[in-house]
Amino acid sequence: MATNGETTIPDSIACPQQVTDICFHTTKPAIIVGDILGKVTLYSYDDEGKVHELRTHEHHKKTIRCVRVTADGQTMFTAGKDKSWCKVDLESGALLHEQSKAHEGAIYSAEVIDSNVMLTGDEDGVIKMWDMRRLPGPVMELKENDDYISDMVCHDDRKHLLVSSGDGTLSCVNIKNRKLELQSELFDSDFLSLAIMKNASKVVCGDGDGTLQIFNWGEWGNVSDRYPGHSGSIDSMLPLSEDVICTGCEDGKLRLVHILPNSIESIIGSHGDFPIQSLTLSHDGALIASASHDEHVKFWKTPDVDEVTVGSHSKRKGKKVGKHEKLKERKAFFNDL
């Protein structure tokens, strides 16, 4: 347990297996952890920072790829490498539905719209939309990508789905009309993570080379801006405000990043040299949780994004700057000369 201001930071969770995805409960102080063996474990944490294991689900036979909770906190969806997804009642723990052989390829990503509608993307680039009221088959199936679907984020209008892929493209799918609207040109690096920013006027993609690729909404053909600066692939992203995101990087660091103007403001936390697999924000916004290959789930106090000003990290006395950031500053200095 650690105390940071008025926020009590829960103890880290030492997991018996490598963690593959995490998701905070959307209405309670609890977190759900999926692991490489197919287990999904629900933990609660109290005001003193103590973490308690509540129950474990073993509906999947292989690695958990996605854990998602509906906004009302009543339902959990899980999807795995075993090509199946499950719907679980979070209050009782009862399995409400299991969709085996949902894809021909292993499921890689998922996005939940509400308790009735979810989407899954697989390693072969196939996207399917499922309506719980119209099972057993999907209500939409698209194959517009040549590689795995790395991430999916739905706009608040519940009409547009943004899709990143390992083939280096960003796609916009109209899930109401059930068709692809537009796809970007092919980039040299995998697109790994997504965030909708700036009141839905910008979409940020984290790529395998450590660059944030920034698109204007509706102009999906090519980027409007790009921001290098991470020392490895950007495997996960978590929006904290319309201007600020937290990134999880291959180098094991969580960074606070301001978008347009672009600036890495600080390093929030670290998992050593282990890449950050997943990030999630607590129901009250007070905590960020991160999971890595070190078999630990760690908790961090959410920074006050209202106090984030571009370049403020360089003005903070005694603030450590990472090796990669120092190298950038050194190059900029000699460029000026």
Side-chain angles (χ1 to χ4, degrees):
M1 177 189 70
T3 302
N4 194 329
E6 296 180 355
T7 302
T8 299
I9 311 299
D11 298 328
S12 297
I13 303 173
C15 302
Q17 303 294 335
Q18 181 179 316
V19 177
T20 51
D21 199 22
I22 55 175
C23 184
F24 272 113
H25 197 290
T26 51
T27 61
K28 296 179 180 179
I31 190 168
I32 303 161
V33 179
D35 72 22
I36 197 169
L37 293 183
K39 293 183 179 180
V40 177
T41 306
L42 177 64
Y43 297 88
S44 66
Y45 54 91
D46 57 32
D47 294 337
E48 297 180 352
K50 298 298 181 183
V51 177
H52 311 277
E53 181 177 331
L54 300 180
R55 63 173 177 265
T56 298
H57 300 274
E58 299 186 38
H59 306 307
H60 292 274
K61 299 174 182 177
K62 294 183 179 180
T63 302
I64 299 297
R65 288 281 175 77
C66 306
V67 179
R68 301 289 183 267
V69 179
T70 55
D72 59 13
Q74 296 182 7
T75 308
M76 171 179 70
F77 288 94
T78 61
K81 192 176 179 181
D82 61 3
K83 307 176 184 180
S84 73
W85 59 262
C86 296
K87 179 182 180 181
V88 177
D89 186 297
L90 272 177
E91 291 298 319
S92 65
L95 177 63
L96 301 176
H97 181 77
E98 180 177 5
Q99 187 77 24
S100 61
K101 299 180 181 179
H103 285 251
E104 292 185 8
I107 297 176
Y108 201 93
S109 58
E111 173 71 340
V112 171
I113 308 302
D114 54 36
S115 59
N116 288 316
V117 181
M118 71 170 296
L119 296 109
T120 51
D122 70 21
E123 291 182 345
D124 298 329
V126 175
I127 299 169
K128 294 185 180 184
M129 183 165 67
W130 308 87
D131 190 325
M132 306 303 118
R133 298 158 296 191
R134 298 176 62 183
L135 294 172
V139 295
M140 180 190 78
E141 180 173 348
L142 293 176
K143 175 70 169 73
E144 301 289 350
N145 294 93
D146 297 325
D147 211 333
Y148 63 97
I149 304 299
S150 58
D151 199 6
M152 296 188 289
V153 178
C154 190
H155 188 279
D156 288 341
D157 64 6
R158 295 159 58 95
K159 178 180 176 182
H160 294 95
L161 179 76
L162 281 301
V163 180
S164 61
S165 173
D167 61 14
T169 62
L170 171 69
S171 304
C172 179
V173 176
N174 188 316
I175 57 177
K176 184 177 180 180
N177 296 334
R178 302 175 187 176
K179 65 179 182 178
L180 176 71
E181 283 198 351
L182 196 64
Q183 188 174 80
S184 73
E185 66 177 33
L186 285 169
F187 285 74
D188 294 332
S189 182
D190 298 13
F191 279 6
L192 303 174
S193 50
L194 281 173
I196 298 175
M197 307 290 292
K198 300 285 184 178
N199 297 306
S201 65
K202 302 287 182 179
V203 176
V204 183
C205 296
D207 75 12
D209 293 332
T211 299
L212 293 172
Q213 307 283 358
I214 304 172
F215 293 80
N216 290 329
W217 185 272
E219 300 174 10
W220 310 119
N222 205 346
V223 294
S224 64
D225 196 7
R226 52 172 55 92
Y227 179 48
H230 292 71
S231 58
S233 61
I234 304 169
D235 299 325
S236 52
M237 285 197 294
L238 182 67
L240 301 179
S241 73
E242 295 298 336
D243 302 311
V244 179
I245 57 174
C246 175
T247 60
C249 186
E250 182 184 18
D251 64 4
K253 294 180 174 61
L254 289 77
R255 290 175 172 85
L256 191 68
V257 183
H258 191 284
I259 300 298
L260 295 175
N262 303 318
S263 174
I264 295 176
E265 293 302 307
S266 63
I267 294 175
I268 299 173
S270 173
H271 281 259
D273 295 328
F274 295 94
I276 307 299
Q277 188 80 11
S278 180
L279 297 170
T280 182
L281 187 67
S282 64
H283 71 289
D284 56 4
L287 296 170
I288 295 171
S290 57
S292 180
H293 293 175
D294 61 0
E295 300 179 1
H296 280 77
V297 176
K298 295 185 177 182
F299 298 88
W300 319 92
K301 180 183 178 182
T302 304
D304 187 348
V305 294
D306 292 333
E307 295 182 359
V308 173
T309 55
V310 178
S312 59
H313 66 296
S314 61
K315 300 177 184 179
R316 292 173 187 151
K317 187 175 180 180
K319 187 68 177 179
K320 293 183 179 179
V321 180
K323 185 185 295 184
H324 190 68
E325 286 75 20
K326 288 181 179 179
L327 180 61
K328 286 178 59 186
E329 292 174 359
R330 195 179 300 123
K331 287 181 179 178
F333 172 75
F334 286 108
N335 286 339
D336 289 340
L337 289 180

